[in-house]
């Protein structure tokens, strides 16, 4: 049996894996999601390790499709990158983040610190990226200093020279720059030297293992020390337990994010829980 889709490119064959079928479905639905407002940002608190004071939040994308249900960003972001939709998705995220900052501010519930947004490596391929982001933020009436851009190591190393010039431009404009998933990429130390970073986010796999695996613990210790001596802020990701908090506090880690403090929440609930009137 053969069945062709609207675009005529899918021929059903018994060997076609469910995964391919799902990807094709997702890709065609994602464009609709953008058009129909099926995307939403959730917000997860970032706090000081010392006393849990709110210092900012990370915006995390959620997609609820009426047919496919909830789709994880770990699944649809790579797909958006592959299908050339990441530029549009990224623009939506930045615009929505600005609208939200503005909204909280005018409601007398301004977010302290910064709102972090995730930047896909593929967005850096667009030569207009920096200009467009700046323009968007300007038009939204938000100061770039309120926004923290999270980039991954592997992302900026695809084309280090071009990344550097883009990141320098954004840094000069006032955005703050974070290195996400630190420790999971390759040659991490070179990035710290070469790029105008403000913050590193230690990947949650190290925090997860730090109390059981001596190697993970050693990496956490070394990263905290390095961040301190380089004058970088450090955020430990994926903090889930009081024991981890105690250890991080003892080691002098400045900031943290994770389920222990708060899960990502829709804007309203985040404000209820974290933003005082
Ligand atoms: P990420 O940037 O490393 O985001 C952190 C992920 O860890 C989020 O998953 C968050 O919900 C989860 N998390 C936070 N605290 C904990 C914890 O204590 N324990 C555990 N186990 N997990 C925790 P999420 O929201 O599913 O996002 C997955 C990934 O999708 C993100 O990883 C990021 O790479 C990507 N992503 C999400 N939103 C966007 C976006 O707007 N743009 C782009 N380009 N990528 C995004
Ligand atoms: Ca992130
Ligand atoms: Ca991360
Ligand atoms: Ca990650």
């Amino acid at each position: 049996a053969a069945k062709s889709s609207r675009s005529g490119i899918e021929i059903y064959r018994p060997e076609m894996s469910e995964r391919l079928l799902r990807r094709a479905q997702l890709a065609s639905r994602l464009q609709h999601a953008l058009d129909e407002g099926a995307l939403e940002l959730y917000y997860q608190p970032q706090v000081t390790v010392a006393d849990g004071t709110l210092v900012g939040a990370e915006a995390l994308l959620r997609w609820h499709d009426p047919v496919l249900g909830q789709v994880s960003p770990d699944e649809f972001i790579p797909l958006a990158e592959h299908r050339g939709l990441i530029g549009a998705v990224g623009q939506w995220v930045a615009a929505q983040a600005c609208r939200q900052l503005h909204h909280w501010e005018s409601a007398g519930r301004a977010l302290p610190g910064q709102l972090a947004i995730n930047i896909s490596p593929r967005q850096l391929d667009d030569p207009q990226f920096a200009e467009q982001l700046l323009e968007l933020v300007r038009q939204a009436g938000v100061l770039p200093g309120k926004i923290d851009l999270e980039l991954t190591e592997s992302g900026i190393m695809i084309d280090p020279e071009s990344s550097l010039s883009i990141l320098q431009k954004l840094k000069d404009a006032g955005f703050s720059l974070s290195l996400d998933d630190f420790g999971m990429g390759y040659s991490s130390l070179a990035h710290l030297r070469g790029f105008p970073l403000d913050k590193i986010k230690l990947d949650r796999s190290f925090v997860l293992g730090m109390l059981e695996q001596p190697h993970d613990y050693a990496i956490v210790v070394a990263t905290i020390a390095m961040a301190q001596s380089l004058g970088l802020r450090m955020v430990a990701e994926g903090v889930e337990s009081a024991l981890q908090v105690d250890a991080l506090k003892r080691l002098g880690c400045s900031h943290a994010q994770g389920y222990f403090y708060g899960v990502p929440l829709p804007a309203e609930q985040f404000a209820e829980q974290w933003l005082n009137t």
Side-chain angles (χ1 to χ4, degrees):
K3 173 182 92 169
S4 62
S5 74
R6 254 188 320 143
S7 59
I9 52 164
E10 302 152 34
I11 310 283
Y12 178 78
R13 277 167 283 119
E15 67 268 28
M16 189 183 196
S17 70
E18 272 181 39
R19 198 165 142 261
L20 281 178
L21 204 60
R22 167 125 177 127
R23 286 176 59 114
Q25 259 183 335
L26 287 177
S28 79
R29 296 294 308 163
L30 186 56
Q31 182 64 56
H32 292 281
L34 271 165
D35 302 338
E36 292 161 5
L39 298 180
E40 185 179 5
L41 289 183
Y42 275 37
Y43 301 85
Q44 187 178 29
Q46 294 185 345
V47 303
T48 63
V49 173
D51 60 5
T53 304
L54 188 71
V55 292
E58 176 177 4
L60 292 158
L61 195 51
R62 295 291 177 261
W63 171 19
H64 184 83
D65 184 86
V67 179
L68 302 167
Q70 197 74 26
V71 188
S72 160
D74 278 328
E75 188 175 13
F76 72 78
I77 293 289
L79 191 71
E81 290 171 336
H82 186 69
R83 304 279 170 137
L85 288 171
I86 195 65
V89 170
Q91 291 254 349
W92 184 86
V93 168
Q96 183 60 27
C98 288
R99 276 193 291 273
Q100 194 60 61
L101 277 173
H102 217 271
H103 177 77
W104 281 331
E105 206 172 288
S106 51
R109 300 184 132 193
L111 177 77
Q114 295 168 320
L115 181 55
I117 60 177
N118 290 283
I119 304 296
S120 152
R122 293 265 78 92
Q123 290 179 264
L124 300 181
D125 292 345
D126 182 353
Q128 302 300 311
F129 172 69
E131 294 300 333
Q132 280 174 356
L133 184 61
L134 252 176
E135 187 53 29
L136 191 156
V137 168
R138 220 179 262 137
Q139 278 184 4
V142 168
L143 292 172
K146 286 298 286 180
I147 298 190
D148 177 35
L149 306 173
E150 295 194 357
L151 306 126
T152 58
E153 319 186 64
S154 34
I156 58 183
M157 290 313 280
I158 293 172
D159 185 348
E161 274 172 50
S162 147
S163 299
L164 180 57
S165 87
I166 293 170
L167 297 184
Q168 192 63 57
K169 196 179 291 180
L170 293 167
K171 171 84 175 174
D172 292 343
F175 291 98
S176 102
L177 305 177
S178 288
L179 196 55
D180 205 353
D181 305 343
F182 182 80
M184 293 306 279
Y186 52 95
S187 68
S188 303
L189 300 177
H191 310 161
L192 295 179
R193 182 186 57 187
F195 291 91
L197 300 166
D198 299 284
K199 209 181 287 182
I200 52 183
K201 298 190 76 182
L202 181 65
D203 191 78
R204 71 167 185 262
S205 60
F206 301 107
V207 175
L208 184 67
M210 73 180 285
L211 298 176
E212 289 89 30
Q213 305 289 332
H215 283 155
D216 286 342
Y217 187 80
I219 289 170
V220 175
V221 172
T223 306
I224 291 169
M226 192 188 57
Q228 268 170 1
S229 56
L230 289 170
L232 297 169
R233 182 183 273 200
M234 179 174 137
V235 184
E237 289 195 299
V239 176
E240 294 184 358
S241 76
L243 285 176
Q244 290 165 344
V245 173
D246 289 344
L248 290 167
K249 206 181 281 181
R250 209 169 52 238
L251 294 170
C253 175
S254 59
H255 297 88
Q257 179 179 345
Y259 297 163
F260 178 79
Y261 298 103
V263 298
L265 293 172
E268 286 283 300
Q269 288 173 42
F270 178 83
E272 275 308 307
Q273 198 162 327
W274 290 95
L275 306 178
N276 302 320
T277 40

